[in-house]
Amino acid sequence: MAQIRIARRVLTECIAAMAFPILLLSILVAPVSVPVVAETDRSRARWCGVETMPLKPSDHSWARWVVLRLRSRSMWRTDLPVFVTAVLLSALSLLVAFFGFIGAAALVFSPVFWLFGIAAQVGPFTPESVGETLLAMPAGIVLGAVTTTVLTGTSFLRDFLLRAFSRSRDPDLLAKLEELRTSRASLTAAFEFERQRIERDLHDGAQQELVAVVMRLGMLEATATAAAADQERIVRLARQAQAHAERALERLRDTVRDIHPRELSDLGLIAAVRELAARSPLRVELTSTGDDAQLSSPTATAVYFTVSEALTNISKHAGVGSARIDLRCATTDVHVRVHDDGVGGARIETGSGLAGLRERMRSVGGNLEILSPPGGGTLVVASAPSQPPW
């Protein structure tokens, strides 16, 4: 296996040596050629057994990817040094491979050349007898081995410089990847939590009321059949059935509103938050400024449910009957602050509603923070750009 990798390294260096004229010409079309050469060098390193991360997505064409890469500032920090390294080391490989392998071949086949009356000169050495040509053969083998070693070392030097130039962006990239993995896990947990909540609301709310309606209607039918004269009992059962049906309808409306409120789609974020504050059991002081017409639907939805969850948590856990909302909309972003003077101590825990809301805010390019010292009340702060970055 090690021999195969060394053979691959020597082969790639020979290819790089032959491609040196093309690399020189590619300087004329820089910077377009820079990401192409750098990505090719990353592919070379992977073929030689080095773990490198390809930057070009498999579903992108080279033209599309190069255009996107040219807009990235990291190209000048990573791809340009790799490009310069490729040009310089290819020139070195060309010199080593040309003089090393040709000189080694001339020394090894020196006796053959001597038979045809040719004295194969390699550097300062020129054979003057058959004996010297025979002695030149092992020297040619040694020169070939040295050339192979130098080319292998040049290949390792390429890998070292490739990793060194990429290392400056690795922490940022790894941090983003780790954040993405965490965000995916949190979103999965939050979606599962939301699914269970909807299922629980339907089971404990509308479903129970509809079961009661069915039972009342059955009793109503039995009463009407058994005693047509018992008008008072029939009326009472009918009214109970109607009351249960109305409660079931109201709970279904609440469940649908929790999924996506109609006010948010029809009237916008400010009006939807105002309606939310009016329905809340808390005394809510709402301050809103700006125009929400520029907000995208995903951003407005994320902010709305952040306010809704914050008010729900205040009514359940804060131990106070009032809250304050400060909503500020601009053409470029939106900010909201929900504050109470309750017991504090709130935290964003995995799988909780606030954890899901934080991931929802992050999904639109925003963020959610909670300041909740014990006994000092709770402040929920959320912000997001008007248009998601995707």
Side-chain angles (χ1 to χ4, degrees):
M1 190 65 180
Q3 291 81 356
I4 295 177
R5 290 186 176 180
I6 291 177
R8 286 183 175 182
R9 291 186 177 279
V10 175
L11 177 60
T12 54
E13 288 305 316
C14 291
I15 294 175
M18 291 184 289
F20 176 69
I22 300 177
L23 289 176
L24 282 181
L25 292 177
S26 68
I27 297 177
L28 300 177
V29 292
V32 175
S33 60
V34 171
V36 175
V37 173
E39 187 68 9
T40 303
D41 194 56
R42 283 185 279 268
S43 299
R44 173 209 59 81
R46 287 194 300 276
W47 193 64
C48 292
V50 179
E51 293 185 2
T52 58
M53 183 177 298
L55 299 185
K56 175 184 171 296
S58 58
D59 59 340
H60 283 195
S61 65
W62 277 100
R64 178 186 176 189
W65 177 74
V66 168
V67 171
L68 294 175
R69 191 65 179 156
L70 290 175
R71 298 175 182 174
S72 174
R73 289 179 297 178
S74 62
M75 188 200 76
W76 307 106
R77 191 171 62 247
T78 58
D79 291 356
L80 183 58
V82 173
F83 175 81
V84 174
T85 299
V87 174
L88 296 178
L89 291 184
S90 295
L92 175 62
S93 296
L94 177 62
L95 294 175
V96 172
F98 182 81
F99 291 106
F101 285 137
I102 290 181
L107 291 174
V108 170
F109 293 101
S110 183
V112 179
F113 295 146
W114 184 266
L115 292 177
F116 289 93
I118 301 174
Q121 181 180 1
V122 178
F125 173 73
T126 302
E128 296 180 354
S129 64
V130 176
E132 290 184 358
T133 60
L134 295 176
L135 292 176
M137 293 179 63
I141 296 175
V142 171
L143 179 59
V146 171
T147 302
T148 300
T149 302
V150 174
L151 291 178
T152 304
T154 304
S155 179
F156 278 111
L157 180 60
R158 285 181 189 269
D159 297 339
F160 173 78
L161 294 176
L162 177 64
R163 289 193 297 266
F165 294 136
S166 301
R167 193 169 298 152
S168 60
R169 63 182 301 274
D170 282 347
D172 295 337
L173 179 60
L174 294 176
K176 290 181 180 179
L177 290 176
E178 182 62 28
E179 181 180 351
L180 178 60
R181 285 192 291 265
T182 304
S183 177
R184 289 177 60 185
S186 299
L187 280 177
T188 301
F191 289 153
E192 179 65 18
F193 175 82
E194 188 66 13
R195 186 192 64 81
Q196 293 176 358
R197 184 192 65 79
I198 295 174
E199 180 184 15
R200 183 174 61 253
D201 289 347
L202 291 175
H203 180 273
D204 298 341
Q207 180 175 316
Q208 296 297 331
E209 298 293 346
L210 290 175
V211 169
V213 170
V214 172
M215 293 178 61
R216 292 296 186 277
L217 291 176
M219 295 171 62
L220 179 62
E221 180 184 8
T223 302
T225 302
D230 192 358
Q231 298 295 329
E232 182 179 350
R233 177 173 172 79
I234 293 175
V235 171
R236 184 174 69 253
L237 290 175
R239 288 176 177 173
Q240 290 176 351
Q242 181 182 9
H244 283 294
E246 290 175 351
R247 284 197 295 270
L249 181 59
E250 184 63 28
R251 292 196 178 189
L252 281 175
R253 287 173 177 170
D254 291 340
T255 300
V256 172
R257 186 183 294 113
D258 288 341
I259 296 175
H260 191 83
R262 177 62 65 89
E263 298 88 353
L264 186 60
S265 302
D266 295 344
L267 304 177
L269 177 62
I270 295 177
V273 172
R274 186 177 293 113
E275 178 68 20
L276 181 65
R279 293 197 314 268
S280 175
L282 302 169
R283 298 186 306 275
V284 180
E285 178 185 346
L286 173 61
T287 302
S288 60
T289 58
D291 183 9
D292 58 7
Q294 301 298 324
L295 296 182
S296 65
S297 178
T299 299
T301 301
V303 174
Y304 174 88
F305 282 109
T306 297
V307 176
S308 176
E309 183 71 18
L311 292 179
T312 300
N313 288 341
I314 293 172
S315 62
K316 288 183 178 180
H317 309 297
V320 294
S322 62
R324 296 188 299 277
I325 302 175
D326 182 13
L327 177 61
R328 303 182 184 278
C329 300
T331 57
T332 58
D333 54 17
V334 57
H335 297 266
V336 64
R337 297 162 61 93
V338 183
H339 185 258
D340 68 79
D341 297 322
V343 296
R347 293 184 302 173
I348 299 179
E349 297 178 349
T350 303
S352 65
L354 286 175
L357 291 175
R358 180 176 61 182
E359 297 308 322
R360 172 175 271 180
M361 293 299 300
R362 288 178 176 177
S363 70
V364 296
N367 193 24
L368 183 144
E369 297 180 355
I370 291 184
L371 302 176
S372 184
T378 300
L379 174 63
V380 178
V381 181
S383 61
S386 299
Q387 300 294 327
W390 31 266

